[in-house]
Amino acid sequence: MKKFGLIGGLSWHSTAEYYSKINSLVNLHYCDNTNPPLRIINLNQKEIHDLQRNNDWNTIAKIIIDAAIELQDAGVHCIAICASTPHKIADQAQDSVTVPILHIADAIGFTLRQKEIYSVGLLGSRFTMSEDFIKVRLLMKDKIKTIVPNLDTQDKIQQILYEELSVGVFNNKARQYFVEEIENMVNQGAQAVILGCTEFPILLKDECCSIPLIDSIDSHCDAITKYILNLS
């Protein structure tokens, strides 16, 4: 197995999901309790969120680049950032290390191609929905068109993310708000909806919607596990 590095803490709730899913998939592959060689760096989510609020992406980039270099120095063969929003600076991080960084959009794109889905809704942080680091990558690499909510809805989702989900509060009011927005995107032609913030699959676990929900954590963990097992 290949040694793999995870940049986590964004939030620790989703990082725990990554850790659990990757170990479970490797266990399943070997049909026993074999665990993968993981190295994890746990960043300070509050610090990152404060920097996001101040739009200080240069400092965020430095923090993530330093973590990637530390993992590379620890001998990992590949790295993943365990959250969608920090992929805004994924290309900068990739330019700073020689080992590959497995991009979450590429993992999502693979899942969508397998399902023959080429028009999707995208729910994520305000940065993920309003900027191009996920949408354009899906379009250019996978020919997948994305639909996003209006700006007011993006702001509301960002508020729920910061004030509730990132601190482990997952309630029915927020769940219902997301379900209603998913149905709005169905009416705009979405064949599926990407849960493009790694807290969202936790919020919507076991929720029934009229179209498939694409769990960004599942897609990323599948790709990570295939890399670890040398199956990709």
Side-chain angles (χ1 to χ4, degrees), residues 1 35 37 61 115 117 124-125 129 147 154 159 172 174 187 199 213 218-219 222 225:
M1 290 186 287
N35 291 333
K115 296 177 179 293
I117 293 170
S125 71
M129 291 184 286
I147 299 164
Q154 290 181 29
Q159 180 185 3
N172 287 330
N187 294 332
E199 285 86 2
L213 303 181
D218 277 352
S219 294
D222 284 344
T225 304

Side-chain angles (χ1 to χ4, degrees), residues 158-176:
Q158 185 77 355
Q159 180 185 3
I160 293 170
L161 174 61
Y162 277 165
E163 296 180 1
E164 299 179 22
L165 307 186
S166 67
V167 294
V169 177
F170 301 92
N171 59 51
N172 287 330
K173 183 177 179 181
R175 190 171 295 110
Q176 185 57 39

Side-chain angles (χ1 to χ4, degrees), residues 91-142:
D91 289 341
Q92 290 172 254
Q94 182 63 85
D95 290 342
S96 301
V97 292
T98 57
V99 298
I101 295 177
L102 205 164
H103 201 291
I104 196 168
D106 298 342
I108 293 168
F110 178 82
T111 298
L112 292 170
R113 291 199 315 274
Q114 292 293 103
K115 296 177 179 293
E116 298 184 344
I117 293 170
Y118 292 94
S119 177
V120 294
L122 173 61
L123 292 175
S125 71
R126 183 177 65 244
F127 306 101
T128 299
M129 291 184 286
S130 65
E131 300 189 35
D132 292 337
F133 56 92
I134 299 290
K135 294 183 293 187
V136 169
R137 195 173 182 105
L138 286 173
L139 182 63
M140 299 302 293
K141 296 194 71 172
D142 301 295

Side-chain angles (χ1 to χ4, degrees), residues 10 12 22 38 43 52 68 75 114 162 173 184 198 216-217:
L10 307 163
W12 73 260
I22 294 166
L38 299 177
L43 299 180
Q52 287 177 358
Q114 292 293 103
Y162 277 165
K173 183 177 179 181
N184 286 338
T198 44
S216 58
I217 300 179

Side-chain angles (χ1 to χ4, degrees), residues 52-107:
Q52 287 177 358
R53 290 187 180 96
N54 292 327
N55 204 33
D56 188 355
W57 284 95
N58 289 332
T59 302
I60 294 172
K62 183 180 185 307
I63 291 169
I64 291 176
I65 287 168
D66 286 347
I69 292 170
E70 183 177 341
L71 288 169
Q72 178 174 264
D73 290 345
V76 303
H77 298 99
C78 189
I79 295 168
I81 302 169
C82 299
S84 298
T85 300
H87 282 79
K88 176 179 167 69
I89 56 85
D91 289 341
Q92 290 172 254
Q94 182 63 85
D95 290 342
S96 301
V97 292
T98 57
V99 298
I101 295 177
L102 205 164
H103 201 291
I104 196 168
D106 298 342

Side-chain angles (χ1 to χ4, degrees), residues 142-222:
D142 301 295
K143 310 303 180 187
I144 295 168
K145 176 187 174 183
T146 56
I147 299 164
V148 297
N150 63 41
L151 293 178
D152 287 341
T153 301
Q154 290 181 29
D155 286 341
K156 177 64 175 177
I157 289 172
Q158 185 77 355
Q159 180 185 3
I160 293 170
L161 174 61
Y162 277 165
E163 296 180 1
E164 299 179 22
L165 307 186
S166 67
V167 294
V169 177
F170 301 92
N171 59 51
N172 287 330
K173 183 177 179 181
R175 190 171 295 110
Q176 185 57 39
Y177 184 84
F178 275 70
V179 170
E180 291 172 1
E181 189 51 43
I182 288 166
E183 294 306 318
N184 286 338
M185 289 189 283
V186 172
N187 294 332
Q188 297 176 60
Q191 299 170 276
V193 170
I194 301 166
L195 303 181
C197 184
T198 44
E199 285 86 2
F200 295 174
I202 302 172
L203 175 69
L204 295 170
K205 185 177 182 180
D206 301 324
E207 189 67 42
C208 293
C209 294
S210 62
I211 56 173
L213 303 181
I214 306 301
D215 185 330
S216 58
I217 300 179
D218 277 352
S219 294
H220 212 188
C221 288
D222 284 344

